[in-house]
Amino acid sequence: MDTHDRIRDTWAKAIVHRETLSSRFYALLFQKAPETQVLFNGDMQAQGVKLINTLNFIVDHLDEPDQLLPAARDLAIRHVSYGVAPEQYDVVGACLIEAMQSILGVEFDEAAQNDWAETYGGLVGHMLPVAYPS
């Protein structure tokens, strides 16, 4: 199974638990980076829906970088206006991986974790230079 297939497979299993996944993600984020909690002053259930929709878009467009990368860069630019700092991207990635692991257990094996981390890192590599030019 290749990277994109493994991501699609694990996502199909995780999205069934979308509310638990988003709740777990934000709980981890606020635990590991409490300073991020002030960035979220609205309805956290609605925020969870946005998170799941964003992840769903990413998974749906893994093989379409001409659609995925501009959307990811636009998201990064919006995040600047919300007050997101570049160093917060690492903790977000770690929390996503940990939340997926907590939901999927053994089905989110080392290969799946590596694929998600690599894909997230690749996206962040396209996002940060646009949002935070040096």
Side-chain angles (χ1 to χ4, degrees):
M1 183 178 297
D2 76 0
T3 297
H4 291 177
D5 288 339
R6 195 169 2 264
I7 288 174
R8 284 186 198 91
D9 180 62
T10 53
W11 182 244
K13 293 171 183 168
I15 198 168
V16 174
H17 309 283
R18 61 179 54 89
E19 291 175 8
T20 304
L21 177 62
S22 62
S23 295
R24 181 71 180 135
F25 168 79
Y26 287 110
L28 288 165
L29 181 62
F30 299 155
Q31 175 190 4
K32 293 176 185 285
E35 73 280 2
T36 63
Q37 197 159 3
V38 299
L39 302 174
F40 302 93
N41 55 11
D43 178 356
M44 286 308 294
Q45 187 173 8
Q47 184 63 41
V49 170
K50 289 179 186 178
L51 171 69
I52 297 302
N53 288 343
T54 299
L55 292 170
N56 205 49
F57 179 86
I58 292 167
V59 172
D60 284 349
H61 294 87
L62 287 171
D63 295 319
E64 300 166 345
D66 56 321
Q67 290 185 350
L68 178 57
L69 295 179
R73 291 193 284 271
D74 289 346
L75 179 63
I77 291 167
R78 284 195 310 275
H79 279 143
V80 171
S81 69
Y82 303 147
V84 175
E87 60 274 8
Q88 292 170 327
Y89 279 79
D90 287 343
V91 73
V92 165
C95 291
L96 175 61
I97 300 298
E98 190 173 335
M100 292 283 288
Q101 174 65 46
S102 74
I103 298 300
L104 296 177
V106 296
E107 293 181 288
F108 198 64
D109 62 12
E110 188 176 340
Q113 291 175 40
N114 290 338
D115 288 343
W116 276 87
E118 180 180 309
T119 299
Y120 178 82
L123 279 174
V124 168
H126 287 279
M127 296 167 75
L128 291 181
V130 172
Y132 307 94
S134 42

